[in-house]
Amino acid sequence: KLKMKMRRFLRTGHDPVRERLKRDLFQFNKTVEHGFPHQPSALGYSPFLRLMAIGTRSGAIKLYGAPGVEFMGLHEENNTVMQIHFIPDQCQLVTLLDDNSLHLWSLKQHSGASELREEHLLYLGTESGNIFVVELPSFRVLEDRTITSEAVLQRVPEDYCNRRSCELVEALREHPKNPDQILIGYSRGLIVLWDLQNNKVTHHFLGSQQLENLYWQRDGSKFISCHYDGSYTQWPVSSDNRHPEPLENFVPYGPFPCKAISKIYWQTTKNGLPYIIFQGGMPRASYGDRHSISVVHGSQQIAFDFTSRVIDFFIIFSSEPTAEFDDPSAMVVLAEEELVVIDLKTAGWPAVHPPYLASLHCSAITCSHHVSNIPLKLWERIISAGSKQNIHYSSMPWPIDGGTNIAPDPPQRDLLLTGHEDGTVRFWDASGVCLHLLYKLSTVRVFLTDADPNDNMNPLGEDEWPPLRKVGTFDPYSDDPRLGIQKIYLCKYSGYLAVAGTAGQVLVMELNDEDAEHVVDHAEADLLQDQEGYRWKGHEKLKTRDGPVRFEAGFQPFVLVQCQPPAVVTSLALHSEWKLVAFGTSHGFGLFDHQQKRLVFVKCTLHPSDQLALEGPLSRVKSLKKSLRQSFRRIRRSRVSGRKRRGGSGNASEVQEANAKFDQDTLQEMELAPVQRKIEARSAEDSFTGFVRTLYFADTFLRDSSRHCPSLWAGTNGGTVYAFCLRVPPAERRMDEPVRAEQAKEIQLMHRAPVVGILVLDGRSNPLPEPLEVAHDLSKSPDMQGSHQLLVVSEEQFKVFTLPKVSSKLKLKLTALEGCRVRKVTVANFGSCKTDDYSENDLAVLTNLGDIQIISLPFLKLQIRYPCIRKEDVSGIASCVFTKYGQGFYLISPSEFERFSLSTKWLVEPRCVVDMPEVTSNNHVHKSGMENCSSSPLGTSVNNSRSDTHGDPIGILFQKFRKVFWCLQTSASPTCDEALLTSLFNKQFSCQEYT
């Protein structure tokens, strides 16, 4: 036993130098979340910090400012965030969850950058009606300041009290000129102006409709209320009339019954015409299902129509206390699936292109492709094409610009390409913290669909009523699911792009800086090769347009290869130097010469038992009975093969003895090789064995060791590897002579596990460079003197073969005690964080358990393992894409990518600072208790027995937390009465109800 343990130790080895080097190379970090928060539930904005906050149903809270300024926090309870409120003049905010808990968050500096930290929370189990005052940060309720419903009703006419009780408090609004007065609105329509100093009602306004919200005019002479019946009312406020009648009651989309107006703004301007902005109010019968926000300015009126439910919105306007007018500049709308910003300064009120919070899932993401280190010329051409698409957007600078981004500039230009269900490909700038849309490509124009590609996204009928205008990019409906993009391959050196789709369509494109009109050449690839007995039961191919097609500047298709049967394209490879594109489906694979526009060859990989492969993804309904039958067959085969290994004859005692010996041998083998296991062979009758999982081009030694040649490799779901020798004519005869292909090798893995990756290593054991990489002096020429090696990665093992003989040299079996299988694999370059002189190529591997393993090349030694994705998150694992330099992306929701890094050198994460602006008000300038966001949280020195401490914020709450309202209490001298509020600010949020 001691010898066995020593052998194990000596075999695995422990090299201190290598261990130190690994620490310099590898480090796992989840760095930033790209995209739009999943299931948003609350919105907040601080004019003081110029920061926006978004809360979600899962308890996340995210803060955004200038591009690159991002913070994230997560409530431990994972409850829905109902309201978010920034404390005036502070780097703090309060969140309210649906379990009636309040949480205090602070922005504090650490190591030169700001961080979002949770400070305090308190559970308040209140009921309804009364208003409380709460002290921060202790959340102590100041009972002597409670505003009870009984006190309010004492000042209201008795006949009104008999008809209507106060019920819930729907709105709280400070008087903009008198900080001692608060406007309180109750759900049944009663509105009162409350004197904080004297604890009494000074005015009461008797509304006849159910109240939704309130908003003050800037000078305090009027306020506006909005109601459940789709109306809004103006009310005067004067000292000589304690019970005024409404000035105007208006139903903007009447006279028919309308939906409630849930929120309203009244914004004054220098030209005298106010902006009236409200949510809802549409006629119930015809437009009751619309999600709209209307903007009215004089004779101009537009109802912005959103494709998903509006969560909340706010207006950015002049927040200077000395300003005479509001002069609104932008409207920020948080919808359930996207963020939309409207420029209110520019004629026509266009949308503002967001630098972050992109709606990644405007159409469902179907695939992803990452390209590192884009050449500057290609980058500029893509940006130029994208800018021509954005001519309808406003040129306004991004209005939410708080904080300072102190992260270093990205070291290189990276692209993340996402394919979508509607046939589009979106190009994202993935170089830094902000995932920014550069350009959108649509393949729809090539095909005949129900939608007209010339349709305007945002039609506006000026003569129609209501004057609806569709805004935003979220569109969950696809004209035809066959348009979906399944594979993308971009050559960054030549500008060639290949995309493949759900209905067997493969498009090859090139970049054009101008609009163009041309005919797209068509070719068909019959992967069944007219074999009899096979009948496709799935969807039909897409119909193509006849004649010339007009394309916008950008990537324009010049050839279409249609696979037959029109099954989903499962693999794609492009070699831009040889002008070849390879494609594979569940039936086989083919090679196309896109320079001569000629099919080179096709290879059918379909097994006679692969009946499911003929049904297609859109019509396949997998039989439970068949699945169970296959499972029992596997178990039976396992037992039979086990008996054969242990001997198929003899009496019971001999069998038991053989079984015992087999178990002992197995245990001994497991002890000797703790990270390996026996891999059970699969049957060729298993479904989808012909499914082509990977395609790979290589210039290597395939026939003999003296001559290398171009080659194409293909790996299938049944563990088969095909290798074809290619003869590509030299450049001077490229258009005159055809490309020829001949099958040279066929490798069948014994365990028949799906092949997920193929790689050729040169004479120095380095991966072969990308096409044209050497020609652009970005890589050394591969070593063609030493012998090449072939690495085949299956779901269950890594195996190295010598070339050209294809003899097994080395293998690594994965630990499968928990069902570990390879899902994604790529070669990544890892550089040392200590020196620029050292880097190495390793394999980055993602398993079905969500673990990421780094495996060395060429010796296949496991370097390190990191848990990354929950094993239950199947879609997250399937969506993962690695980068060339040890980073990765995966979907944590339909609308968000999680970015992670495996490298110590390549790390993209937010680093930002939020400084404390100078605090001003009408009457005074004061220190707020926090010089900057690195100071201790406000109130850490508060003596709870006193309430006259300088700078303590006081919050006014009411039961059931229908609204939250905060005031900031300060005093000019220590002896000043605590009831004197010299500065009063407020913010209000609608309470969202969920079933």
Side-chain angles (χ1 to χ4, degrees):
K1 288 183 178 178
L2 182 59
K3 280 185 178 181
M4 193 180 296
K5 291 180 179 179
M6 288 299 295
R7 254 196 333 265
R8 285 177 57 194
F9 180 79
L10 291 174
R11 189 188 61 194
T12 55
H14 181 78
D15 184 353
V17 176
R18 179 61 187 173
E19 292 301 315
R20 285 196 297 272
L21 182 58
K22 284 161 62 174
R23 289 194 292 269
D24 295 341
L25 293 172
F26 312 123
Q27 183 180 6
F28 178 74
N29 290 285
K30 291 186 178 181
T31 55
V32 66
E33 293 178 2
H34 295 301
F36 184 76
H38 184 50
Q39 294 183 329
S41 56
L43 177 68
Y45 177 67
S46 170
F48 178 69
L49 300 174
R50 299 186 70 82
L51 294 179
M52 172 181 65
I54 296 176
T56 71
R57 295 190 197 180
S58 61
I61 178 170
K62 301 184 179 186
L63 271 63
Y64 301 93
V69 177
E70 296 185 12
F71 303 94
M72 178 180 173
L74 183 64
H75 296 85
E76 292 183 2
E77 294 76 13
N78 291 335
N79 285 22
T80 297
V81 180
M82 305 298 291
Q83 298 177 40
I84 303 173
H85 190 79
F86 285 88
I87 298 178
D89 297 354
Q90 305 299 330
C91 288
Q92 290 184 307
L93 65 154
V94 172
T95 56
L96 169 67
L97 305 189
D98 64 351
D99 63 352
N100 277 351
S101 62
L102 291 171
H103 300 249
L104 176 64
W105 299 80
S106 296
L107 284 168
K108 305 171 76 173
Q109 282 194 9
H110 177 71
S111 300
S114 297
E115 294 180 349
L116 182 63
R117 297 182 181 178
E118 186 175 0
E119 300 290 348
H120 298 278
L121 64 92
L122 177 69
Y123 286 87
L124 297 178
T126 59
E127 295 179 357
S128 64
N130 297 333
I131 299 173
F132 298 95
V133 179
V134 177
E135 184 182 54
L136 285 181
S138 64
F139 282 112
R140 184 167 65 93
V141 177
L142 304 181
E143 296 182 0
D144 58 332
R145 298 193 180 184
T146 299
I147 304 173
T148 65
S149 57
E150 290 79 8
V152 171
L153 291 175
Q154 286 177 1
R155 304 284 177 163
V156 177
E158 187 174 348
D159 61 335
Y160 189 88
C161 295
N162 293 336
R163 286 188 288 114
R164 295 174 179 269
S165 62
C166 288
E167 283 213 350
L168 300 176
V169 179
E170 280 292 348
L172 287 172
R173 289 289 182 181
E174 72 179 62
H175 194 291
K177 297 297 182 181
N178 185 352
D180 295 333
Q181 293 183 339
I182 295 177
L183 197 64
I184 305 172
Y186 295 90
S187 60
R188 291 202 171 184
L190 173 64
I191 305 168
V192 299
L193 189 62
W194 182 266
D195 187 334
L196 290 170
Q197 280 193 346
N198 300 310
N199 289 331
K200 67 175 185 179
V201 172
T202 62
H203 295 68
H204 60 269
F205 310 85
L206 304 180
S208 59
Q209 294 292 335
Q210 181 175 321
L211 180 70
E212 292 289 324
N213 223 318
L214 299 170
Y215 195 82
W216 278 105
Q217 190 171 312
R218 191 178 185 95
D219 61 5
S221 63
K222 305 184 193 73
F223 70 86
I224 192 168
S225 62
C226 56
H227 302 274
Y228 182 77
D229 65 344
S231 67
Y232 63 81
T233 304
Q234 291 186 40
W235 303 86
V237 178
S238 61
S239 57
D240 55 352
N241 187 353
R242 303 293 181 178
H243 173 36
E245 294 295 324
L247 292 174
E248 178 187 14
N249 183 64
F250 188 56
V251 184
Y253 296 114
F256 301 106
C258 296
K259 294 188 69 177
I261 295 179
S262 57
K263 189 171 184 178
I264 193 165
Y265 280 85
W266 177 289
Q267 301 278 283
T268 58
T269 62
K270 293 177 183 177
N271 65 9
L273 294 173
Y275 279 83
I276 302 174
I277 304 170
F278 56 89
Q279 177 183 346
M282 284 282 137
R284 287 185 178 275
S286 303
Y287 302 94
D289 59 341
R290 299 298 182 101
H291 312 289
S292 68
I293 295 179
S294 298
V295 180
V296 182
H297 182 227
S299 61
Q300 301 178 67
Q301 180 167 345
I302 292 177
F304 292 100
D305 186 15
F306 300 86
T307 55
S308 60
R309 185 171 62 91
V310 174
I311 303 298
D312 203 350
F313 75 101
F314 61 83
I315 306 299
I316 297 178
F317 57 91
S318 175
S319 58
E320 289 294 324
T322 56
E324 186 178 353
F325 303 101
D326 295 308
D327 286 327
S329 58
M331 176 174 69
V332 181
V333 183
L334 176 66
E336 200 164 37
E337 304 292 352
E338 61 185 327
L339 183 84
V340 178
V341 177
I342 303 297
D343 178 2
L344 298 177
K345 287 289 189 182
T346 303
W349 301 332
V352 182
H353 195 52
Y356 48 73
L357 285 175
S359 182
L360 299 175
H361 64 317
C362 45
S363 174
I365 294 177
T366 49
C367 65
S368 303
H369 176 67
H370 187 275
V371 187
S372 299
N373 206 8
I374 302 293
L376 178 60
K377 185 176 181 180
L378 177 62
W379 187 264
E380 291 175 341
R381 293 178 70 189
I382 292 173
I383 290 177
S384 175
S387 64
K388 295 176 182 178
Q389 296 177 335
N390 295 332
I391 57 175
H392 300 295
Y393 281 102
S394 167
S395 59
M396 164 189 274
W398 185 243
I400 305 167
D401 55 2
T404 304
N405 179 16
I406 60 173
D409 292 334
Q412 61 186 29
R413 295 170 293 273
D414 288 353
L415 275 178
L416 179 66
L417 282 69
T418 55
H420 297 264
E421 189 181 44
D422 62 354
T424 59
V425 178
R426 285 168 167 80
F427 291 64
W428 305 92
D429 178 359
S431 312
V433 171
C434 296
L435 194 68
H436 181 61
L437 181 64
L438 299 178
Y439 164 70
K440 184 181 80 169
L441 162 70
S442 177
T443 63
V444 178
R445 288 180 179 271
V446 179
F447 306 102
L448 288 170
T449 63
D450 294 335
D452 184 354
N454 298 312
D455 282 347
N456 189 354
M457 175 65 186
N458 294 324
L460 175 62
E462 295 183 358
D463 298 330
E464 295 181 3
W465 190 260
L468 289 165
R469 178 195 293 178
K470 191 172 288 293
V471 289
T473 60
F474 179 72
D475 183 9
Y477 305 108
S478 173
D479 297 319
D480 193 327
R482 296 175 296 173
L483 291 168
I485 305 297
Q486 297 296 330
K487 295 293 175 182
I488 306 171
Y489 197 106
L490 171 67
C491 175
K492 62 185 178 183
Y493 303 111
S494 65
Y496 283 115
L497 172 69
V499 298
T502 302
Q505 69 270 30
V506 180
L507 286 163
V508 185
M509 312 183 187
E510 57 185 344
L511 192 55
N512 191 341
D513 297 327
E514 301 295 334
D515 294 0
E517 187 172 3
H518 60 258
V519 175
V520 178
D521 291 298
H522 297 171
E524 281 207 355
D526 182 9
L527 296 177
L528 294 181
Q529 299 174 304
D530 299 322
Q531 296 187 34
E532 296 183 0
Y534 293 102
R535 186 172 62 87
W536 173 247
K537 304 174 186 176
H539 51 265
E540 296 180 353
K541 68 177 184 179
L542 286 160
K543 294 180 180 179
T544 56
R545 294 181 181 273
D546 296 327
V549 181
R550 184 162 187 82
F551 297 101
E552 298 176 338
F555 286 95
Q556 299 173 351
F558 61 89
V559 66
L560 164 67
V561 182
Q562 178 61 58
C563 297
Q564 289 288 11
V568 173
V569 177
T570 58
S571 54
L572 184 69
L574 177 71
H575 201 293
S576 50
E577 187 175 358
W578 301 338
K579 305 293 193 299
L580 299 174
V581 60
F583 48 87
T585 72
S586 54
H587 306 118
F589 60 96
L591 181 66
F592 187 81
D593 179 353
H594 65 76
Q595 184 169 359
Q596 292 189 8
K597 299 175 183 176
R598 171 182 168 272
L599 188 66
V600 179
F601 78 90
V602 292
K603 171 71 174 178
C604 180
T605 58
L606 197 64
H607 191 273
S609 66
D610 283 351
Q611 291 303 314
L612 284 177
L614 293 169
E615 294 182 9
L618 302 182
S619 63
R620 184 182 309 125
V621 178
K622 201 167 185 179
S623 168
L624 176 61
K625 187 183 296 184
K626 186 168 185 177
S627 300
L628 290 173
R629 189 187 306 125
Q630 289 176 343
S631 300
F632 282 120
R633 282 177 180 171
R634 290 194 188 99
I635 295 171
R636 194 180 304 119
R637 285 197 300 268
S638 174
R639 290 173 177 171
V640 171
S641 61
R643 285 197 294 271
K644 286 180 179 178
R645 288 193 299 267
R646 296 189 290 267
S649 63
N651 56 32
S653 61
E654 289 175 343
V655 173
Q656 288 178 358
E657 185 178 348
N659 288 348
K661 186 177 185 303
F662 173 78
D663 292 340
Q664 185 178 358
D665 293 342
T666 304
L667 287 172
Q668 186 175 358
E669 184 178 356
M670 289 174 64
E671 267 195 295
L672 288 171
V675 297
Q676 298 183 6
R677 71 170 180 101
K678 281 192 175 294
I679 298 175
E680 180 184 324
R682 305 184 187 195
S683 168
E685 297 179 1
D686 287 350
S687 296
F688 295 108
T689 55
F691 186 113
V692 179
R693 294 286 291 267
T694 184
L695 292 164
Y696 177 71
F697 286 106
D699 187 356
T700 188
F701 301 91
L702 196 53
R703 291 195 178 278
D704 56 59
S705 57
S706 59
R707 291 178 299 174
H708 57 90
C709 66
S711 63
L712 172 65
W713 301 75
T716 73
N717 214 45
T720 306
V721 177
Y722 300 94
F724 281 74
C725 283
L726 306 178
R727 184 188 174 278
V728 182
E732 61 272 14
R733 300 195 304 274
R734 182 65 178 82
M735 288 299 294
D736 301 326
E737 299 179 10
V739 175
R740 300 191 183 278
E742 182 181 358
Q743 184 170 337
K745 306 286 184 185
E746 181 174 336
I747 308 168
Q748 179 61 61
L749 301 180
M750 296 298 293
H751 59 290
R752 298 183 182 275
V755 177
V756 296
I758 298 174
L759 181 68
V760 172
L761 306 176
D762 69 4
R764 292 188 293 266
S765 298
N766 291 323
L768 296 182
E770 297 178 19
L772 295 176
E773 190 174 9
V774 175
H776 284 75
D777 297 324
L778 296 173
S779 175
K780 295 180 180 179
S781 298
D783 185 351
M784 293 298 186
Q785 303 302 318
S787 60
H788 284 197
Q789 302 172 78
L790 170 69
L791 172 63
V792 178
V793 181
S794 74
E795 282 191 352
E796 297 190 357
Q797 71 176 18
F798 300 78
K799 197 166 187 177
V800 176
F801 300 88
T802 60
L803 287 176
K805 292 185 178 180
V806 194
S807 57
S808 179
K809 179 180 180 181
L810 182 68
K811 66 181 175 182
L812 169 66
K813 303 175 186 177
L814 293 186
T815 302
L817 298 176
E818 301 172 20
C820 180
R821 297 180 187 275
V822 176
R823 286 291 179 258
K824 304 280 182 175
V825 62
T826 194
V827 176
N829 183 268
F830 293 92
S832 171
C833 62
K834 297 290 181 64
T835 175
D836 293 333
D837 298 331
Y838 182 81
S839 67
E840 67 180 42
N841 292 310
D842 297 288
L843 290 176
V845 179
L846 175 68
T847 74
N848 65 325
L849 301 181
D851 294 335
I852 292 179
Q853 302 181 13
I854 299 176
I855 297 172
S856 67
L857 287 174
F859 301 112
L860 302 182
K861 298 292 184 183
L862 177 63
Q863 301 300 297
I864 202 160
R865 178 188 288 110
Y866 300 112
C868 180
I869 310 173
R870 293 182 301 107
K871 65 181 180 181
E872 298 84 7
D873 187 2
V874 178
S875 60
I877 293 172
S879 66
C880 182
V881 56
F882 289 108
T883 77
K884 189 178 179 180
Y885 295 100
Q887 296 186 68
F889 302 82
Y890 68 94
L891 287 172
I892 55 175
S893 74
S895 59
E896 292 172 290
F897 275 113
E898 176 84 68
R899 187 175 191 144
F900 62 87
S901 175
L902 307 170
S903 170
T904 57
K905 187 174 182 179
W906 299 94
L907 193 67
V908 175
E909 61 180 350
R911 281 189 60 81
C912 44
V913 172
V914 177
D915 293 319
M916 190 73 174
E918 183 181 4
V919 182
T920 62
S921 71
N922 287 329
N923 303 320
H924 65 283
V925 178
H926 71 279
K927 297 291 184 182
S928 64
M930 294 179 70
E931 295 296 330
N932 55 49
C933 293
S934 64
S935 303
S936 299
L938 183 66
T940 51
S941 60
V942 170
N943 182 347
N944 286 336
S945 62
R946 292 170 54 92
S947 56
D948 58 351
T949 309
H950 297 273
D952 294 348
I954 302 292
I956 295 183
L957 303 168
F958 54 88
Q959 296 175 349
K960 280 196 177 176
F961 299 103
R962 296 284 296 178
K963 296 289 181 291
V964 177
F965 166 72
W966 298 98
C967 325
L968 183 69
Q969 174 191 324
T970 61
S971 56
S973 66
T975 58
C976 185
D977 185 356
E978 67 176 13
L980 180 61
L981 301 178
T982 56
S983 176
L984 185 63
F985 301 82
N986 91 92
K987 185 66 180 175
Q988 172 190 326
F989 296 93
S990 298
C991 177
Q992 303 295 334
E993 300 288 345
Y994 296 96
T995 58

